[in-house]
Amino acid sequence: MTNASARAHRLRIATLLFLLCLSLYLLTYRALIQSGDTRRALDAVTSVARYGDWLMDETNALKLPFRIRDSSALPLGEYRVEEGLNILLASPLLKLAEALPRLGNIHTVWLFNVIITALIASLVYLILREMGYADAVAALVAVGAGFGTNLWAYSQTFFREPLTAFFILLALFALQRGARGGIGARLISLVCAATGLVLAYETKHSALFAVPALLVFALPEARLEGYRAWRPAISALIALPLLCLCLLALLDPLPSAIGDLLSRFGLRTDHLSPALRAYLLSPGASLWATSPLALFAIPGALMLWRRGRRRLVAACFLLVAGYALGHALLTGAHWFGGLSYPPRFLLPAQPALMLLTAPIAQAVLRENSKRIRFLWLALLAYGLWIQVVGVSLSLSRYSESLPPESNGYAEWVPSLTQPRYFRWIVLPRRWGDLGVEFLWTRANLPIWGASFALAFALAAFALWHCLRRPGSRWRHLAPLLALSFIPLVLLNLMNAYDKDPQTQSSQGALHEALDFLARNARADDLLLLSSTDYEDFILNHLDGAIPRPIALERPPAQAASDRQPALVVSESPNDWFDVQSFRVLRHLAGRQERLWLLENTSAFMLWSFRPLERYLAGHFYPLREIELGIVDETVRLLEYSTGEAAPNPLSQYAGEIATDLRFGEGIRLLSLVAPDGESYAPGDVVHISLLWVAEAPVEHDYTVAAFIADARQNRPIAQGMDSAPQAGFAPTSSWKPGAPVWDNRALRLPEDAVAGDYQLWLLMYRQGSAGVTRLPVAGRAVIQDGTVGVPPITIAVR
C-alpha cells in the first residue's frame, strides 16, 4: 500500500468511526436543556450570533442582575465571556437554524457536542495509528472511548468539557505527529499543540491543569541508551502526583499543617478529600465507575512502561492527577460539578486515559486471548449499560428519584458508594412512568429512529470490511455515507420542528404569535415573557434578532396554576414583583417606546392575577391585543406603548382637561390627560388617560371603546383596544361610588392620515343575550344618537 493510499485508508477509517459514533449519538439524541449553566450558554449563543453581545435575555429570570445602571441600554446580566469559545464555535449552528426553514434552535445547537464527541473518537484512532498500532486495535479503542465511557453521556449536553477534551487530544495528536519527524516537524507540532492548548484554555480555564502532561508528552521518547538518565525524572513525574493524590484522598480530615500550607496559596481544602475519593475511588461516581473500560488503563500503563512508552504513561497520569487535584482544590463546595453525570470535571482527561488501554485492546484481538476478550466485552457491556441509562433521561431525573433525605443533591454520599443509589440502578426504574427522553421518542418520530439505526448499521458494516480488507469494495460506502449524513440530519430535524412537546412546538398559537412579530416588530423592539413557561419555545423557535426576548421571573403575586396559589396576595403593586424583576421592568418601560408581552393566562382563568398586565395597564398605555387565528387562552400577545408614563393611579391628580360627559345614569368622565399634547404626525401613537367616577353602584360591566374620528366626514380613522377600564382590571361593576378610576388608552394614527384636526370619540357598551347595548351619553358634545361622547380635545395631524 502506497503512502497516499495508506493515508486515504486511515482517513476512511476515521470517517467511518466518526459516522458510527454520530449515528449512535443521534439515535439517542435528546436535545434537552438539562441545567441552568447550559441554558445560559445557549442564551449566550443567541446573543452573540444575533446582537454581538453576551447579555442574558431569554435566561434573565435565571440570574437577575444584582445592579442595574441607568446608563445600561438593557438591564441584563452578562455571560462569562472569558471562557466563551464554545459559544463562538456553536454560533454557526444557530445561524444555520435561522437560515433554513423548520429548524429548531435548541434542536440544532445541541448537535455541537454530538459532533465534537464523535470527532474525539476519530482522534483517538488517529493518535494510536500515529503510535504504530494496527487499524483494528486503534479502532477498537476508539469505539470503546465513544461507546463505553461517559463521553457518550456528555454528547447530549452543552457543557464545555467535551470541547476542552477535544482540544487537549488535538494537542496530543500534534505532538505525536511531530515525534517521528525532524526539527521542522517538531517545531510545527509544538506550535499546533500550543494552539490546541490555548483553544482548550479559551474553552475552559481549567485546561491549565493539562499543561504538565502536555509538556511531558512533548519530550522525546527515551532511547534505550539514554534510559538511565530519563528514568528517575519520569518515574518521579508519575510517583509523586499519585502519592499526593492517595495521601490527600485518604486523609480526612487533613492534618492542620497540610491544610494551613495549602490555604496560604489560596487553595480550598474543605472538600478536598471527599472530592478526590469521588473522582478516583468511588464505585458510583469515579472516573472508572462511569467509564469501566478505563480500568484497563492501569494494566495498559504497566505494559506500556515495560515497552518504553513512558512518556505517554507519564502524560496520561499527570493529566488525570492535574484535573483531579486541581478541581478538588479550586472548586470547593462545587467539586461535583452541579447537575451532571460524574465525574464531569475529569472528562477532558478521559480520552487520553483511553489511549493507555491500547495494549489490552491489542491482546483482545489475539486468537488465544479468550479471557481478556471476555473481560473486555464484559466491561464494554457494563459501560454501554451505564451510558444508555445516562442518555435515556434528563440529568435532573436522577436527583428527583433519590430519597427525600438526599435533598435532591446528586453528590449525596450514599449515591457515590451504595449500589442501590447508583444512577444506572435508580434511573431504569423511572422508565416505566417516564419512558425515555430521546427526541424521536417524545416527538413520535419513528423515521428518525429507523434512519439513524440504519446509518449506524451501514457505518458498522463498512468499518468491519475496511478493517478486514483495506481494498474492499465496501470502502466506497464511507464517502457516500458522509455525503448523505447532512441531508439526513437536516430532514429529521425539520420533521421534529413542530412536534417536540418539551418546547411546546405543536402549539400553533405560539407559532402564529412569532409569525406576527416577525412581520410587525421593529429593530429595537423587546418581547417580555411574563414567566419562563414559554422560554424553551422562544429559545427553539425565534428565528432572528427582532424582537429581542426577555424572560421575567414569575411574579410572587401570580399563581402557577389553579392548584398552586400565589405566594403573595396584595392590592399594592409594590408587593407583586420581586425587587430585581421590578427594577428590570421599570428600566425597560422607561427606555422603550413600546413593549410586546407574551402572556400564558387570560381573564377566563379566574385564578390568574396577571400582575404584569395589571402593572403595565395602570402605569402605561395598552395599545392592542393581537387577534390570533388560533384561539388559545394560554397564548396572548399584547402591545403596550411605553413612550410616556401614565398618571400615577394612586395619586390625587385630577387630570388636565375637564369634561361634562355622563354615561348612563351614574358614570361620569371627570377629565382626561393627553401627555403628548395635541399635535401628531401620521403613524404616531396618541396616549389618552381617562379619569372616571361612579356616582352610584354600577350593576353591569361595560366596555369602553375609543376612536380618533374625522368630524367633517363623521367617520373614525383609528380605533383603540376595546376593553373594560384599565385593560379589564377595573370592571365598572367593581367601582366604588365617588372613587376615581384611571383608564389608560393608546390609539395609533394611520400612516396615511391626512393633515387636519380630529376628534376623540368615546362610547360604553355591554354585550348581552340581546346583543350589544350602548349607554346613552349626556354632555355638551354628544353624537351618534346620543351614544358617543366627544371630549374637549383636538388631535391635530401635521
Side-chain angles (χ1 to χ4, degrees), residues 362-690:
Q362 200 171 36
V364 166
L365 295 175
R366 295 195 191 108
E367 291 184 3
N368 59 347
S369 56
K370 293 182 179 180
R371 292 181 180 178
I372 296 178
R373 189 177 300 131
F374 173 79
L375 188 56
W376 178 281
L377 291 174
L379 287 182
L380 177 61
Y382 184 43
L384 283 170
W385 169 254
I386 291 172
Q387 306 318 315
V388 168
V389 171
V391 298
S392 65
L393 292 172
S394 173
L395 295 173
S396 61
R397 300 297 191 185
Y398 175 67
S399 300
E400 296 169 3
S401 305
L402 289 175
E405 57 267 27
S406 71
N407 292 320
Y409 293 132
E411 63 269 32
W412 182 50
V413 173
S415 72
L416 309 180
T417 57
Q418 298 182 23
R420 59 177 173 162
Y421 296 126
F422 291 171
R423 283 160 175 74
W424 45 97
I425 302 297
V426 171
L427 288 177
R429 299 171 188 159
R430 303 297 309 276
W431 288 346
D433 60 300
L434 296 175
V436 293
E437 294 178 326
F438 304 149
L439 176 57
W440 68 274
T441 57
R442 70 173 186 263
N444 193 22
L445 300 170
I447 294 177
W448 178 299
S451 61
F452 287 115
L454 178 61
F456 178 84
L458 289 175
F461 178 81
L463 179 62
W464 172 258
H465 280 277
C466 286
L467 289 174
R468 290 185 63 196
R469 292 170 49 203
S472 169
R473 61 181 178 177
W474 295 108
R475 70 185 187 278
H476 302 299
L477 194 56
L480 291 176
L481 277 174
L483 290 174
S484 63
F485 226 85
I486 292 178
L488 180 65
V489 172
L490 292 178
L491 288 173
N492 275 295
L493 287 177
M494 289 176 179
N495 197 27
Y497 179 75
D498 55 2
K499 297 181 177 66
D500 186 2
Q502 182 67 30
T503 56
Q504 298 103 349
S505 297
S506 61
Q507 205 157 346
L510 285 172
H511 285 284
E512 192 176 341
L514 285 194
D515 290 342
F516 177 89
L517 289 170
R519 297 190 305 270
N520 294 276
R522 299 191 301 255
D524 59 342
D525 277 353
L526 300 175
L527 172 65
L528 296 184
L529 308 181
S530 60
S531 70
T532 58
D533 290 0
Y534 292 145
E535 182 181 318
D536 280 0
F537 178 87
I538 295 297
L539 280 168
N540 198 46
H541 294 284
L542 182 63
D543 287 332
I546 304 172
R548 186 165 193 166
I550 296 178
L552 298 175
E553 194 170 20
R554 178 180 284 111
Q558 174 60 47
S561 70
D562 57 343
R563 294 182 296 276
Q564 296 174 274
L567 300 176
V568 171
V569 177
S570 173
E571 292 299 320
S572 172
N574 294 331
D575 300 329
W576 295 348
F577 308 94
D578 64 274
V579 174
Q580 290 303 99
S581 293
F582 187 68
R583 289 175 180 170
V584 169
L585 182 58
R586 290 291 298 176
H587 188 98
L588 293 174
R591 284 161 176 76
Q592 295 293 125
E593 288 189 6
R594 67 174 176 179
L595 290 172
W596 297 95
L597 174 63
L598 183 61
E599 267 286 3
N600 63 343
T601 59
S602 69
F604 289 94
M605 301 175 184
L606 301 180
W607 52 267
S608 180
F609 187 69
R610 297 183 288 155
L612 189 54
E613 280 189 74
R614 285 179 186 269
Y615 180 80
L616 290 173
H619 293 81
F620 298 96
Y621 294 90
L623 191 55
R624 57 176 168 164
E625 179 173 346
I626 309 306
E627 292 187 11
L628 302 175
I630 300 174
V631 179
D632 187 339
E633 294 302 330
T634 66
V635 180
R636 295 170 53 242
L637 182 62
L638 301 104
E639 182 183 3
Y640 292 88
S641 180
T642 53
E644 293 288 343
N648 187 340
L650 301 179
S651 71
Q652 299 298 315
Y653 179 51
E656 294 178 352
I657 304 171
T659 82
D660 64 345
L661 295 177
R662 182 190 301 272
F663 292 77
E665 295 297 324
I667 299 177
R668 289 180 55 202
L669 179 63
L670 295 177
S671 64
L672 59 87
V673 175
D676 302 314
E678 297 185 351
S679 183
Y680 300 87
D684 280 355
V685 174
V686 179
H687 303 102
I688 299 293
S689 293
L690 308 172

Side-chain angles (χ1 to χ4, degrees), residues 37 152 161 188-189 192 265 268 278 288 336 396 460 548 553 565 614 648 691 696 701 763:
D37 287 346
W152 184 0
E161 280 77 9
I188 293 173
S189 71
C192 293
F265 295 95
R268 307 171 68 172
W288 330 97
F336 189 80
S396 61
R548 186 165 193 166
E553 194 170 20
R614 285 179 186 269
N648 187 340
L691 187 61
D701 288 329
L763 65 89

